[in-house]
Amino acid sequence: MDFDTFEPEKSSSTESLTIEAAIANLQGDDLGLRVYAAWWLGRFRVRETAAVSVLIQALKDEADRTEDGGYPLRRNAARALGKLGDQKAVPPLIQSLDCSDFYVREAAAQSLEMLGDPVCIPNLISLLKAGLQGEQLVSNQPDFSQPYDAILEALGTLGATIAVPLIQPFLDHPIERIQYAAARAMYQLTQDMIYGERLVQALTEQDLQLRRTALADLGAIGYLPAAEAIAQTLAENSLKLIALKGLLEHQIYMSPANELSEGAIRVMTLMDGLL
Amino acid sequence: MTADLAQTLIRAVEEADSSARLLEAVEQLSAARLEAAIPTLIAALGYNNPGAAVAAVEGLIQIGKPAVKPLMELLDGYNYGARAWAIRALAGIGDPRGLEMLLDAAKNDFAFSVRRAAARGLGTIVWEELPSEQVQPAQAQALDVLLQVSQDPEWVVRYAAVNGLEKLAIAVAISNTDWAMQILRHFDSQVASEDNLAIIARIWLAQKEIQEYVVEVLDTQTAQIVSAFDIDWQGTLEKLYARKRQEQPLPEGDPRKFHQVAAAIAKANA
């Protein structure tokens, strides 16, 4: 689960760096400052060309390694590039899908989803296939080899209808949040309510973490029939409000140009009750 | 007998050993609406159990006025999660004794969950409970703070400020028409600068609600006031859809989208 989706849009915290300093730090010798600068550029959505270029370079970083071979700077750079909305980052992020570090692959898939260019669909599909033998999940489950939830979510958002038969088996994955990601993608690709209802069902799970995940998924797909269930599930109001905001925005997109739908008003009324 | 009942229900909360039992015990204690339950219900706001907190807020609102002072006393220094729930309880009760606390929380609290609950609460104060000479100064303070809070960096706090301003405009529509019109002018200018679709939509709803109230409640004598309000919710809607057009991704089945996908797949297979 990417908890960045729960992050407020703008922060009240003071900006402790300048853009110039962040770009300079990213190319400097201090590894800690480099990792922080990459995060900072994404956090404050610094959309300048120079920032995008240094972040793309950082996707190839070899200096910063964890004990078990991870690439902390690459991870942060990949996450930041998704937030900056510059399409130049798409090809290098596609290359990052082959990185040996799981978390770099996960961040790359999430950022490619945000950038919204379907050119990466075949690459995402080939990662997804690592979990499949033909039309079925690989037999040794759970399979932690790929960030399946991020891949499934990206395929759904990018409108990869071609991937539906490959996504379907993940509805039975032993890890719930991967099932939810598959349900979310299936709903986006087929608009079949059965998948939306699968996520509504998840709002009654015992585990708070699973309910939170389902809230984020329902907000992402804007599934209106879930509105009341979202308002009532046992979770933080802040998270419910963000999920309902997703429903509201979806209603705005769906409404005819001269009015707001009944659904939009219904969602706002529920949001008011959660303030 | 009531005292016994209170003791039994309170003990059930204190002895609950799972989050499900705690939720159930708090729900039962809340439903009993007993003043003796106030400290226990306030404590339940801090258990980091959202279900129990919702039930406790509900119970405190039902108990009403007797809960105001203990809420204000215990609010200080609580963790911010509990503070947000306590502010929600105060807002639900609407007692003007909570005004100072809501003003301060809406403007200055570092936690956005607290600021948003306070902003909403500033709209739901029961003004009639104040001595008549204090009503206008208190409403002026609320108006001033809500206008500030509608610039908050957090979207959800701005959203709550719109809710608070709507309720305040309705409360002053007759007694102080100028302030209601000031709120409506503020909405117009906020729509012009606001980027968040959810907030523009909420402003549109607020404009509708205010107009509906004015039309329904005021009689024909005051029909002039209605036209003086001249609410531009159509303008808000146009702005909303102008913003929407900028953001809208290609819809499902859009041929351009299909071409992009086809090209991507062809390239990958080449």
Side-chain angles (χ1 to χ4, degrees):
Chain A
M1 184 60 243
D2 173 22
F3 267 82
D4 272 355
T5 49
F6 292 142
E7 202 178 287
E9 297 173 348
K10 297 174 187 169
S11 167
S12 52
S13 59
T14 49
E15 309 187 10
S16 51
L17 273 181
T18 62
I19 294 170
E20 294 70 27
I23 292 172
N25 284 353
L26 199 48
Q27 297 163 297
D29 294 330
D30 185 323
L31 294 181
L33 285 182
R34 289 168 66 178
V35 173
Y36 180 75
W39 172 85
W40 189 92
L41 288 169
R43 178 69 186 85
F44 292 101
R45 302 228 176 358
V46 178
R47 291 166 205 259
E48 294 190 12
T49 317
V52 174
S53 311
V54 288
L55 286 168
I56 288 175
Q57 283 169 31
L59 290 177
K60 297 266 182 221
D61 173 74
E62 288 291 348
D64 191 11
R65 305 292 300 266
T66 63
E67 277 172 28
D68 42 8
Y71 290 94
L73 179 59
R74 292 190 190 190
R75 294 172 193 169
N76 273 8
R79 289 183 193 120
L81 285 165
K83 294 177 182 169
L84 301 191
D86 190 323
Q87 300 300 322
K88 273 206 299 292
V90 170
L93 282 170
I94 289 175
Q95 288 178 24
S96 293
L97 289 175
D98 296 325
C99 181
S100 58
D101 179 356
F102 176 95
Y103 297 103
V104 173
R105 298 197 298 275
E106 178 179 64
Q110 287 166 344
S111 289
L112 286 165
E113 175 184 10
M114 284 190 244
L115 292 174
D117 186 340
V119 72
C120 61
I121 288 173
N123 309 81
L124 291 168
I125 287 177
S126 69
L127 277 199
L128 194 65
K129 281 184 175 161
L132 295 170
Q133 294 165 326
E135 301 269 294
Q136 286 176 347
L137 295 177
V138 292
S139 46
N140 53 330
Q141 289 292 338
D143 166 27
F144 293 105
S145 63
Q146 295 295 344
Y148 292 112
D149 43 352
I151 297 165
L152 292 163
E153 287 170 9
L155 287 168
T157 300
L158 294 171
T161 40
I162 192 172
V164 162
L166 302 171
I167 294 171
Q168 195 130 28
F170 287 87
L171 291 165
D172 298 318
H173 196 278
I175 298 171
E176 279 99 337
R177 67 183 156 73
I178 294 178
Q179 293 171 23
Y180 301 169
R184 162 177 164 169
M186 288 299 288
Y187 178 78
Q188 286 174 309
L189 298 174
T190 66
Q191 297 294 307
D192 187 333
M193 286 179 65
I194 197 170
Y195 303 113
E197 290 305 314
R198 171 75 190 85
L199 292 170
V200 172
Q201 194 56 40
L203 292 176
T204 62
E205 284 285 347
Q206 279 292 315
D207 179 1
L208 173 61
Q209 205 52 43
L210 292 179
R211 298 196 298 272
R212 287 174 173 158
T213 306
L215 279 174
D217 288 332
L218 286 162
I221 62 173
Y223 184 64
L224 183 64
E228 283 74 18
I230 289 171
Q232 280 157 22
T233 188
L234 299 176
E236 297 83 346
N237 281 10
S238 297
L239 303 189
K240 298 190 207 179
L241 282 162
I242 292 170
L244 287 171
K245 177 170 170 263
L247 268 56
L248 174 57
E249 283 166 352
H250 195 72
Q251 284 301 301
I252 293 170
Y253 288 124
M254 295 296 133
S255 294
N258 57 349
E259 60 185 320
L260 271 184
S261 67
E262 295 273 338
I265 295 168
R266 199 172 110 209
V267 172
M268 284 189 272
T269 308
L270 290 167
M271 288 173 73
D272 284 0
L274 294 166
L275 297 170
Chain B
M1 195 220 139
T2 311
D4 284 353
L5 176 62
Q7 283 316 310
T8 310
L9 293 173
I10 289 168
R11 208 172 316 123
V13 173
E14 287 166 355
E15 289 170 2
D17 57 0
S18 71
S19 74
R21 277 203 199 93
L22 177 68
L23 171 60
E24 196 184 333
V26 173
E27 278 175 347
Q28 289 184 0
L29 183 62
S30 283
R33 300 193 195 185
L34 299 165
E35 283 187 35
I38 292 170
T40 312
L41 290 175
I42 291 176
L45 305 178
Y47 291 163
N48 200 15
N49 177 326
V54 168
V57 166
E58 208 51 44
L60 288 162
I61 293 173
Q62 295 295 333
I63 294 167
K65 295 199 153 297
V68 172
K69 230 172 136 242
L71 268 171
M72 288 168 58
E73 280 162 7
L74 285 168
L75 229 142
D76 226 22
Y78 254 54
N79 72 62
Y80 69 87
R83 221 160 54 234
W85 293 112
I87 291 277
R88 293 190 73 220
L90 276 182
I93 298 168
D95 190 302
R97 281 176 291 167
L99 178 63
E100 285 301 324
M101 198 154 250
L102 293 177
L103 290 167
D104 181 50
K107 226 173 20 173
N108 302 322
D109 204 285
F110 72 89
F112 65 82
S113 55
V114 176
R115 297 202 301 281
R116 75 160 192 253
R120 175 175 184 242
L122 287 173
T124 52
I125 285 175
V126 187
W127 303 104
E128 304 82 68
E129 289 180 1
L130 280 171
S132 59
E133 74 280 5
Q134 287 177 26
V135 171
Q136 289 219 352
Q139 288 175 337
Q141 279 182 297
L143 176 58
D144 182 44
V145 168
L146 281 170
L147 292 175
Q148 283 181 51
V149 171
S150 65
Q151 313 288 328
D152 195 284
E154 289 292 342
W155 75 269
V156 75
V157 180
R158 299 200 298 284
Y159 183 98
V162 174
N163 179 305
L165 284 167
E166 172 199 312
K167 299 291 187 297
L168 186 61
I170 286 172
V172 301
I174 302 168
S175 62
N176 209 329
T177 309
D178 283 353
W179 288 355
M181 290 181 56
Q182 189 185 342
I183 290 170
L184 288 166
R185 278 197 304 275
H186 172 79
F187 282 156
D188 286 343
S189 67
Q190 194 180 349
V191 164
S193 60
E194 180 63 66
D195 267 348
N196 187 299
L197 293 180
I199 291 165
I200 302 175
R202 187 64 187 79
I203 289 174
W204 171 85
L205 183 60
Q207 291 170 321
K208 295 272 272 194
E209 300 275 345
I210 293 166
Q211 187 179 47
E212 217 163 87
Y213 172 81
V214 174
V215 170
E216 270 178 27
V217 170
L218 299 185
D219 54 36
T220 45
Q221 288 177 313
T222 38
Q224 279 183 321
I225 298 180
V226 179
S227 65
F229 276 131
D230 193 24
I231 296 171
D232 188 21
W233 50 266
Q234 202 58 43
T236 302
L237 213 52
E238 276 161 25
K239 163 81 181 176
L240 182 66
Y241 287 102
R243 287 279 304 113
K244 175 182 109 165
R245 279 192 296 279
Q246 286 171 25
E247 277 191 15
Q248 190 156 29
L250 298 179
E252 242 17 87
D254 184 300
R256 284 169 298 169
K257 187 165 193 167
F258 176 74
H259 283 310
Q260 281 176 331
V261 177
I265 291 164
K267 205 160 110 191
N269 290 340

